[in-house]
Amino acid sequence: MKKMAEKRSRWISLGHSEYSEIPSKKDFFSVVKASERVVCHFFRENWPCKVMDKHLNILAKQHIETRFVKLNAEKIPFLAEKLKIIVLPTLALSLSGSLFFFGRY
Protein backbone atom coordinates (compact mmCIF):
# COMPACT_ATOMS: atom_id res chain seq x y z
CA MET A 1 0.00 0.00 0.00
CA LYS A 2 2.88 2.33 0.75
CA LYS A 3 4.40 1.77 -2.72
CA MET A 4 1.06 2.49 -4.37
CA ALA A 5 0.65 5.69 -2.35
CA GLU A 6 4.14 6.78 -3.47
CA LYS A 7 3.25 6.02 -7.10
CA ARG A 8 0.02 8.00 -6.82
CA SER A 9 1.80 11.03 -5.37
CA ARG A 10 4.46 10.84 -8.11
CA TRP A 11 1.80 10.60 -10.82
CA ILE A 12 -0.06 13.59 -9.42
CA SER A 13 3.17 15.61 -9.28
CA LEU A 14 3.71 14.81 -13.00
CA GLY A 15 0.23 16.09 -13.90
CA HIS A 16 -1.66 12.82 -14.05
CA SER A 17 -5.43 12.94 -13.28
CA GLU A 18 -5.67 16.17 -15.30
CA TYR A 19 -6.29 16.75 -18.99
CA SER A 20 -4.00 19.60 -20.02
CA GLU A 21 -2.78 21.27 -23.20
CA ILE A 22 0.91 21.15 -24.11
CA PRO A 23 2.08 24.40 -25.76
CA SER A 24 5.26 23.24 -27.54
CA LYS A 25 7.04 20.25 -29.06
CA LYS A 26 9.76 20.49 -26.40
CA ASP A 27 7.13 20.04 -23.69
CA PHE A 28 5.62 17.10 -25.60
CA PHE A 29 8.87 15.16 -25.55
CA SER A 30 9.51 15.90 -21.88
CA VAL A 31 6.00 14.64 -20.99
CA VAL A 32 6.48 11.45 -23.01
CA LYS A 33 9.84 10.80 -21.35
CA ALA A 34 8.61 11.54 -17.81
CA SER A 35 5.53 9.28 -17.79
CA GLU A 36 5.31 5.61 -18.64
CA ARG A 37 1.80 5.91 -20.15
CA VAL A 38 0.65 8.96 -22.09
CA VAL A 39 -2.46 9.59 -24.17
CA CYS A 40 -1.98 12.58 -26.48
CA HIS A 41 -4.84 14.12 -28.43
CA PHE A 42 -3.79 16.07 -31.53
CA PHE A 43 -6.65 18.49 -32.18
CA ARG A 44 -7.89 21.66 -33.76
CA GLU A 45 -10.87 23.80 -32.80
CA ASN A 46 -13.75 21.85 -34.36
CA TRP A 47 -16.70 19.77 -33.22
CA PRO A 48 -15.22 16.22 -33.38
CA CYS A 49 -12.18 17.32 -31.39
CA LYS A 50 -14.36 18.94 -28.72
CA VAL A 51 -16.28 15.68 -28.30
CA MET A 52 -12.98 13.84 -27.90
CA ASP A 53 -11.88 16.45 -25.31
CA LYS A 54 -15.00 15.83 -23.26
CA HIS A 55 -14.38 12.08 -23.08
CA LEU A 56 -10.63 12.34 -22.44
CA ASN A 57 -11.26 14.75 -19.58
CA ILE A 58 -13.47 12.12 -17.92
CA LEU A 59 -10.93 9.34 -18.54
CA ALA A 60 -8.07 11.42 -17.12
CA LYS A 61 -9.79 11.56 -13.75
CA GLN A 62 -10.56 7.83 -13.77
CA HIS A 63 -7.10 6.60 -14.83
CA ILE A 64 -4.51 8.30 -12.66
CA GLU A 65 -1.79 5.90 -13.88
CA THR A 66 -1.92 7.55 -17.35
CA ARG A 67 -1.12 11.13 -18.33
CA PHE A 68 -3.70 12.71 -20.67
CA VAL A 69 -2.61 15.70 -22.76
CA LYS A 70 -3.63 17.53 -25.92
CA LEU A 71 -1.68 19.41 -28.60
CA ASN A 72 -3.09 21.91 -31.05
CA ALA A 73 -1.79 20.51 -34.35
CA GLU A 74 -2.21 23.86 -36.10
CA LYS A 75 0.04 25.65 -33.57
CA ILE A 76 2.77 22.98 -33.72
CA PRO A 77 2.83 22.00 -37.41
CA PHE A 78 6.41 20.72 -37.29
CA LEU A 79 5.51 18.00 -34.79
CA ALA A 80 2.33 17.05 -36.68
CA GLU A 81 4.35 16.72 -39.92
CA LYS A 82 7.16 14.80 -38.21
CA LEU A 83 4.68 12.29 -36.75
CA LYS A 84 2.78 12.18 -40.08
CA ILE A 85 -0.55 13.23 -38.61
CA ILE A 86 -2.93 13.92 -41.49
CA VAL A 87 -6.40 13.50 -39.95
CA LEU A 88 -7.70 15.24 -36.83
CA PRO A 89 -8.55 14.24 -34.19
CA THR A 90 -5.72 11.75 -33.75
CA LEU A 91 -4.79 9.95 -30.56
CA ALA A 92 -1.18 9.04 -29.91
CA LEU A 93 -0.46 6.56 -27.14
CA SER A 94 2.97 6.35 -25.61
CA LEU A 95 3.89 3.23 -23.68
CA SER A 96 7.38 3.44 -22.20
CA GLY A 97 8.47 5.90 -24.89
CA SER A 98 7.05 4.05 -27.94
CA LEU A 99 4.36 5.92 -29.90
CA PHE A 100 1.21 4.28 -31.29
CA PHE A 101 -1.41 6.19 -33.32
CA PHE A 102 -5.18 5.79 -33.52
CA GLY A 103 -7.68 7.72 -35.60
CA ARG A 104 -5.57 8.06 -38.72
CA TYR A 105 -6.90 7.13 -42.16
Side-chain angles (χ1 to χ4, degrees), residues 14-85:
L14 289 172
H16 291 229
S17 81
E18 298 175 6
Y19 180 54
S20 55
E21 184 171 348
I22 297 176
S24 69
K25 68 177 179 174
K26 178 183 171 187
D27 295 332
F28 170 76
F29 289 112
S30 65
V31 165
V32 170
K33 288 178 186 176
S35 296
E36 187 176 326
R37 296 179 187 144
V38 179
V39 173
C40 185
H41 173 211
F42 288 88
F43 77 100
R44 69 176 174 198
E45 296 296 327
N46 63 8
W47 180 77
C49 293
K50 289 181 182 189
V51 172
M52 183 79 74
D53 274 347
K54 177 184 170 187
H55 293 288
L56 291 175
N57 195 23
I58 293 167
L59 288 171
K61 290 171 180 45
Q62 293 175 349
H63 295 280
I64 193 169
E65 73 279 1
T66 303
R67 175 92 191 260
F68 286 82
V69 296
K70 63 181 178 177
L71 280 150
N72 189 330
E74 293 175 336
K75 290 183 180 176
I76 311 172
F78 172 78
L79 187 59
E81 287 176 23
K82 181 86 171 161
L83 298 174
K84 297 181 179 151
I85 295 172

